[in-house]
Structure formats: C-alpha cells, structure tokens
C-alpha cells in the first residue's frame, strides 16, 4: 500500500509541478511567496514555492484527517504534494468540462522505507471529500475483530463521515482467499442501486484495519442530478411482438450454395470424410 501511495504521487508529478514539504510556521504574507526556504526532495520531483491556495488545501486536508481518522500529520515529517485537476491540461488529453474539478493533497514520508503518510482528495466546488486514507498501519498485527464487525464499522463510517446514504446501496460481499484470511485489512464495497438496477461506476468502499477496528481509507463516486427513467416496461411481450410484425418485412431470395467438396482427414487414428 505504501508503494501504491508513492506511485500515486509519482503519477501526479508527470502532469503538474508538485510542492515540497514545509516546516510549521514557514508562511509569508504574499500570495505566491509564502515559504522562506526550500527543502530537498527526491528526484524527479521539482520544487516550487507553496502558494496561499496550497496552504489552504493542506489545512483543509488536516481537518479531514483529524475528523475522519484522528490522524495529525506534521508538515516537517513529510513531502507534501498538492494537485489541482483544474490546472491539468495537455493537448493529447483534452479536458472534459463535464467533470468536476478536484484537489488532492498527499503526505509522503521523506524516507521511502518508512511506512506512513496520508492522502485526501475532495471536490473543489463544495469541498465534498471523495477519497481519503492513512497509512499509519502495523502490517504485522493480527486480527482482533471479525469481518462482520468490520462491515458494521465500514457502514457507520460511510454514513456518518462520508455522508453516503447506504439505503440506496447494496453491499457486494466477497469470498476471501484462504491465504489472506489472517491479513488484518478488510475491504467493503457498496454498489448504488436505483429501482432494483445497479448503477455502473456509482459506489462507495471502505477499508478497515481489523487489528484496531479503525477505518483507514474510503472512496466514493456518486453521480448527482441524474434522472433515472422508469424501470417498468411500457409494453408487454405480446405488444412488442405485434409492433415488430407490423414493421418488419422480408423478401424471398434464391442463393447458390458453394460447391461441396469432400475433405478427408485423420481423427483418433481413423480416416474421416466430410
């Protein structure tokens, strides 16, 4: 999971210039000149000075991490990467104006051998959090609570913190592989359902550390403003068949068949002719 977190930050580096970590209190008064000094970061990250917008995003992310996971990262302990989808624009990847802009803040440990860090992504317009995770996990720990209890914890978290109305979602159970039965992490996935029909790409998920009983990550993708047509058919099968008969015509044609030739081959040591 640490590698995934670092890889995610690396992918973002390809599109925007990430920001470097800063110490507490290193803030100035100018809009785009708020850091007194730069800190070294691993290649290929390019350094730039944190802006007022960056600091606002970092502060909001800390509020979310504290509220959702009781996690309080210190700036000086991490490389901080801030990404704005509204800034992303490349000729080969034209921007889809129907997509909502989002902001992502990633706390990456300076030492790649250290497990830790956190990540938050939220929509820019209303600051609704779409995903968040903390990596302060003991991967050698053992389970102390059941998967069923973890399911209850995931539901409570998604409804209370992520503001997901699970009445509109269906829990998608999964069979856990035997080799993973002692692993302390458990993932829970909920698919949106409208009029008894599952809605593609609309879902919510949460991961629970079964060694502590804490939710450590979640993700939600919920479309808004969609008007779903009625799932009730307007025609019964016989009415539909009458419409097909009234609008479908066929004509008779003669077609010559290809000349048939005998083909011989061997199958199971026997000569076969067709």
């Amino acid at each position: 999971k640490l590698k995934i977190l670092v890889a995610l930050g690396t992918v973002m580096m390809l599109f925007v210039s990430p920001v470097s970590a800063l110490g507490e209190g290193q803030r100035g008064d100018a809009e785009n000149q708020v850091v007194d000094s730069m800190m070294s970061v691993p290649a290929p990250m390019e350094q730039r000075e944190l802006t007022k917008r960056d600091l606002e995003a970092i502060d909001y992310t800390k509020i979310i991490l504290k509220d959702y996971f009781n996690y309080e990262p210190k700036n000086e302990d991490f490389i901080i990467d801030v990404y704005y989808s509204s800034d992303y624009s490349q000729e080969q990847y034209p921007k889809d104006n129907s997509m909502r802009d989002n902001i992502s803040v990633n706390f990456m440990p300076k030492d790649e051998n250290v497990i830790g860090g956190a990540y938050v992504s939220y929509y820019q317009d209303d600051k609704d959090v779409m995903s968040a995770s903390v990596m302060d996990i003991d991967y050698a720990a053992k389970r102390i609570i059941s998967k069923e209890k973890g399911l209850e914890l995931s539901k409570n978290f998604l409804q209370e913190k992520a503001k997901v109305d699970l009445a509109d979602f269906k829990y998608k159970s999964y069979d856990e592989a035997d080799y993973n039965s002692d692993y302390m992490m458990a993932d829970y996935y909920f698919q949106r359902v409208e009029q008894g029909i599952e809605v593609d790409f609309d879902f919510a998920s949460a991961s629970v550390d079964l060694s502590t009983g804490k939710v450590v990550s979640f993700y939600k993708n919920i479309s808004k403003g969609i008007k779903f047509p009625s799932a009730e058919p307007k025609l019964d099968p016989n009415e539909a068949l009458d419409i097909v008969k009234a609008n479908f015509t066929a004509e008779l044609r003669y077609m010559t068949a290809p000349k048939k030739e005998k083909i011989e081959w061997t199958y199971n040591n026997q000569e076969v002719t067709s």
Side-chain angles (χ1 to χ4, degrees):
K1 288 182 180 287
L2 176 62
K3 292 181 178 179
I4 294 175
L5 187 65
V6 174
L8 179 60
T10 303
V11 171
M12 292 178 179
M13 298 169 208
L14 299 177
F15 306 119
V16 296
S17 297
V19 300
S20 61
L22 72 159
E24 293 289 353
Q26 289 182 306
R27 302 187 179 188
D29 297 325
E31 174 71 16
N32 295 317
Q33 188 72 27
V34 294
V35 185
D36 296 330
S37 62
M38 287 294 183
M39 298 184 67
S40 61
V41 294
M45 294 183 71
E46 296 180 2
Q47 302 176 62
R48 69 168 172 82
E49 293 176 338
L50 293 171
T51 66
K52 180 180 179 181
R53 181 172 68 158
D54 296 332
L55 296 174
E56 289 175 348
I58 293 170
D59 286 343
Y60 182 65
T61 293
K62 287 185 175 183
I63 292 173
I64 296 301
L65 292 174
K66 172 65 175 177
D67 180 33
Y68 284 31
F69 308 113
N70 196 30
Y71 183 76
E72 299 180 83
K74 296 181 179 180
N75 288 356
E76 60 266 23
D77 294 335
F78 298 92
I79 297 168
I80 305 175
D81 177 41
V82 185
Y83 169 80
Y84 305 91
S85 66
S86 56
D87 291 346
Y88 169 60
S89 179
Q90 290 192 6
E91 184 177 351
Q92 65 271 37
Y93 299 111
K95 185 177 179 180
D96 186 348
N97 293 327
S98 65
M99 301 293 291
R100 296 171 66 191
D101 287 323
N102 61 78
I103 300 174
S104 300
V105 179
N106 192 3
F107 287 86
M108 298 180 291
K110 295 178 182 178
D111 185 348
E112 62 180 10
N113 296 316
V114 173
I115 297 176
Y119 170 84
V120 172
S121 182
Y122 61 93
Y123 290 112
Q124 186 170 310
D125 51 8
D126 61 2
K127 290 191 172 183
D128 183 30
V129 180
M130 55 191 293
S131 64
S133 65
V134 295
M135 304 305 296
D136 188 16
I137 301 169
D138 180 5
Y139 289 97
K142 300 297 183 182
R143 295 182 177 183
I144 61 173
I145 63 175
S146 66
K147 288 196 304 179
E148 291 71 23
K149 179 62 176 178
L151 174 59
E152 179 184 342
L153 294 171
S154 70
K155 288 182 176 180
N156 292 338
F157 180 92
L158 289 173
Q159 293 183 122
E160 296 174 5
K161 297 295 185 182
K163 308 303 180 184
V164 178
D165 185 1
L166 290 181
D168 299 328
F169 288 76
K170 174 184 178 182
Y171 171 58
K172 306 282 285 190
S173 61
Y174 67 95
D175 295 326
E176 188 172 39
D178 292 337
Y179 68 83
N180 198 43
S181 59
D182 291 329
Y183 187 51
M184 79 295 184
M185 297 296 295
D187 302 318
Y188 303 93
Y189 183 92
F190 303 84
Q191 184 77 47
R192 184 179 178 181
V193 177
E194 291 288 342
Q195 303 179 69
I197 301 174
E198 293 186 0
V199 182
D200 284 344
F201 304 115
D202 271 32
F203 66 93
S205 63
S207 297
V208 179
D209 184 343
L210 298 182
S211 70
T212 63
K214 295 180 179 179
V215 175
V216 295
S217 69
F218 91 96
Y219 181 86
K220 69 177 181 181
N221 185 72
I222 304 175
S223 303
K224 296 182 178 180
I226 295 180
K227 294 182 179 180
F228 294 94
S230 174
E232 295 294 328
K234 294 183 178 181
L235 301 174
D236 63 38
N238 290 329
E239 290 175 324
L241 182 59
D242 290 339
I243 293 175
V244 171
K245 289 179 178 178
N247 292 273
F248 178 78
T249 59
E251 60 182 17
L252 180 63
R253 290 188 178 185
Y254 294 99
M255 300 181 63
T256 58
K259 182 181 179 181
K260 293 184 178 180
E261 296 181 358
K262 292 183 178 181
I263 302 175
E264 297 181 353
W265 73 92
T266 302
Y267 178 72
N268 286 340
N269 297 324
Q270 294 184 355
E271 294 294 330
V272 179
T273 301
S274 64

